[in-house]
Amino acid sequence: MSRELFDQALQAAQSFHASNPALSGFQPWPDDITWADRASMPAPCMDLVQTQAGDTACTHSHASETLALQQAITALAPHVEWRLTYTEEEVGVDFLGRFGWFELVGPTGHFHSTQARMTVGYWGDGLYYPWHEHEPEELYSILSGRAEFAAEGEDTLTLRPGDTRLHASLQPHAMTATDQPILCFVLWRGEGLADDPRMAA
Ligand code: ZN
């Protein structure tokens, strides 16, 4: 049943967090996690998460934890509360058909915590995630696929499984998935954890 899949995903996220100093240094694992029993909400992208994951090869020392979390998220994909956040005017119909995110842990997550927020996002190949910003800091970890990450004041980098990227508070950033989709695990910290990002004007 799906509760087991949620528990397995949480366990995989905790092992992934412990295996990667970039994540454990960003924020300790929360000690206030409780099951929130949120209903699932389908989104068009959830099939793609399972059928078009992109490359999973991770060259880092935490490769086995990266793959384990990617597999746990893939198994969980049909059961989560998918969110789209943006409007068709902001991102277009193709984007909304092949993008989605959900909150595994956090103030409005499948597991409740007020100490941390952990989300998972998926973008299909060829999608451009326009410039946006938000108050909390966020640390992206790539689970599968690859994309070009752009952030104001920094070089644009192509990130692959196991790589991380930190976005500072209110630092504008954008992302382009070129020839691969991308699945990301994202840690958040700081003020405004429950706020939605703002697209750049
Ligand atoms: Zn962001």
Side-chain angles (χ1 to χ4, degrees), residues 181-199:
I182 192 163
L183 181 69
C184 302
F185 178 74
V186 189
L187 288 182
W188 304 72
R189 72 177 179 196
E191 296 302 311
L193 277 187
D195 299 348
D196 284 330
R198 289 187 295 274
M199 287 297 185

Side-chain angles (χ1 to χ4, degrees), residues 147-172:
E148 292 174 3
F149 281 70
E152 197 172 87
E154 290 175 48
D155 293 337
T156 297
L157 293 177
T158 296
L159 300 192
R160 295 181 169 77
D163 291 344
T164 59
R165 177 90 161 201
L166 177 68
H167 296 135
S169 180
L170 300 178
Q171 179 184 24

Side-chain angles (χ1 to χ4, degrees), residues 86 129 132-134 136 138 140 167 171 173 186 188 197:
Y86 303 111
Y129 187 21
H132 61 282
E133 62 184 48
H134 36 74
E138 73 180 346
Y140 267 79
H167 296 135
Q171 179 184 24
H173 50 280
V186 189
W188 304 72

Side-chain angles (χ1 to χ4, degrees), residues 46-198:
M46 69 188 198
D47 294 333
L48 299 176
V49 172
Q50 297 193 306
T51 59
Q52 295 181 30
D55 290 342
T56 54
C58 171
T59 58
H60 298 262
S61 60
H62 48 270
S64 65
E65 289 84 0
T66 304
L67 184 61
L69 181 55
Q70 187 267 332
Q71 290 174 338
I73 296 299
T74 299
L76 189 60
H79 306 285
V80 304
E81 181 194 26
W82 287 102
R83 306 181 197 185
L84 299 179
T85 301
Y86 303 111
T87 65
E88 198 175 313
E89 290 67 37
E90 286 175 314
V91 294
V93 67
D94 181 38
F95 190 100
L96 293 180
R98 299 190 296 129
F99 157 77
W101 67 276
F102 67 90
E103 188 168 305
L104 183 64
V105 177
T108 63
H110 288 281
F111 293 96
H112 183 265
S113 171
T114 58
Q115 297 174 4
R117 182 168 184 237
M118 306 176 200
T119 62
V120 173
Y122 177 87
W123 290 259
D125 61 280
L127 291 184
Y128 167 63
Y129 187 21
W131 289 90
H132 61 282
E133 62 184 48
H134 36 74
E135 188 171 6
E137 295 176 279
E138 73 180 346
L139 181 67
Y140 267 79
S141 296
I142 314 313
L143 299 180
S144 64
R146 61 173 169 262
E148 292 174 3
F149 281 70
E152 197 172 87
E154 290 175 48
D155 293 337
T156 297
L157 293 177
T158 296
L159 300 192
R160 295 181 169 77
D163 291 344
T164 59
R165 177 90 161 201
L166 177 68
H167 296 135
S169 180
L170 300 178
Q171 179 184 24
H173 50 280
M175 189 182 75
T176 308
T178 55
D179 60 334
Q180 290 254 330
I182 192 163
L183 181 69
C184 302
F185 178 74
V186 189
L187 288 182
W188 304 72
R189 72 177 179 196
E191 296 302 311
L193 277 187
D195 299 348
D196 284 330
R198 289 187 295 274

Side-chain angles (χ1 to χ4, degrees), residues 7-27:
D7 287 341
Q8 286 163 11
L10 184 67
Q11 192 86 60
Q14 186 169 7
S15 298
F16 180 69
H17 175 272
S19 75
N20 189 335
L23 276 71
S24 27
F26 181 75
Q27 192 169 53

